[in-house]
Amino acid sequence: MDSIKSVIRQMAKGQDIEQFFKKITDSLLNHGDVQAFLNSHEDISFAAVEKSIPSLYQFVQERNQCDNCPGLERCPNVLKGYQPELIYDKASINLAFHPCPLKQRNEEMKHQSQLINSYYVPDDVLQATFQSIDTSDPRRYDALKAAGDFVKEYIEHPSKTKGLYLYGEFGVGKTYIMGAVMNRLKDKNVSSLMVYTPDFFRELKGAIQEKTLDEKLDYIKKVPVLILDDIGAETISPWIRDEIIGSILQYRMMKKLPTLYTSNYDYEELEDHFSYSQKSGTELLKAKRVMERIRHYTKLVTVKGNNRRI
């Protein structure tokens, strides 16, 4: 009892310890949650209760603080964002802690924020939703429907869903639509990655010297849903086409991971783009090999409308 009385003495702050002990004990035992716990464990002796007064005191204090929650950031509990729970183990009453609803929601939001990743993509695109897209232009209806259908099909049959290839002129909203796809997938707890291909491919060249190329390629290969934004705007080279694009698409094809694209080129124009490089001239066969991994695993949708960047 010495250690218990030491705690009680600190609580009493100059009051008569025995009277304070009885007062605090009566108060704790009259607390609704404590009563419910004791009623569910009829084998608990008063001696065990007496030894557990500090735990009961902390439990009641923190439960009362939870009832008057000041918010997660100002949580006064010993373990911020956690609620105490009474447990009976080995003839003594102890405390266990579990995250409160606010803490759970905060962790969920952190987790969801990690589901959307990007390389060189504007912030407004990453905030896009299907609700925020301007639907007044009927020329974009097919693209919006295809984007919504992709999410629905992917959630139901992830390994059987084809990717999307959004083709259209500058500024018609292709990338923004893909941002909405990412956020809808996030709501379904699906991780995705959008890459602005010209800048990302330039970064990969530097990654060779930094010895981070394999790590970056491994990540982009394995992400559940990959979006290659503005494919065809990059400066093509045999290395980019065969070792980077070809390698990524081959892996994703084998693992049945969908890849989505935006481009100013249709399939034929993108094949022409892939076929020529200043270093190696025209290589139609190699371009066709890459395009086979795009054509047969995506749905081509033309996006029309006014240039919204003007």
Side-chain angles (χ1 to χ4, degrees), residues 82-115:
Y82 287 82
Q83 292 179 325
E85 177 186 358
L86 293 173
I87 59 172
Y88 186 51
D89 182 43
K90 297 180 180 178
S92 64
I93 301 172
N94 297 301
L95 292 179
F97 297 87
H98 57 84
C100 70
L102 289 181
K103 178 70 172 178
Q104 290 175 346
R105 178 57 182 159
N106 181 260
E107 292 301 315
E108 180 182 338
M109 291 176 66
K110 284 183 179 179
H111 172 66
Q112 286 193 322
S113 70
Q114 294 169 355
L115 294 177

Side-chain angles (χ1 to χ4, degrees), residues 96-137:
F97 297 87
H98 57 84
C100 70
L102 289 181
K103 178 70 172 178
Q104 290 175 346
R105 178 57 182 159
N106 181 260
E107 292 301 315
E108 180 182 338
M109 291 176 66
K110 284 183 179 179
H111 172 66
Q112 286 193 322
S113 70
Q114 294 169 355
L115 294 177
I116 291 184
N117 297 282
S118 67
Y119 282 100
Y120 309 106
V121 177
D123 288 341
D124 64 320
V125 171
L126 300 180
Q127 301 300 320
T129 65
F130 283 103
Q131 289 72 31
S132 67
I133 294 176
D134 181 4
T135 58
S136 61
D137 191 337

Side-chain angles (χ1 to χ4, degrees), residues 286-298:
K286 292 184 177 180
K288 287 182 180 295
R289 185 177 296 120
V290 173
M291 285 305 303
E292 286 297 297
R293 295 171 175 81
I294 298 177
R295 273 195 177 94
H296 292 292
Y297 294 94
T298 59

Side-chain angles (χ1 to χ4, degrees), residues 253-270:
M253 178 187 71
M254 290 174 19
K255 298 298 182 179
K256 298 182 179 179
L257 300 172
T259 307
L260 290 71
Y261 309 81
T262 73
S263 184
N264 299 129
Y265 293 152
D266 61 19
Y267 286 154
E268 287 70 26
E269 291 168 331
L270 185 63

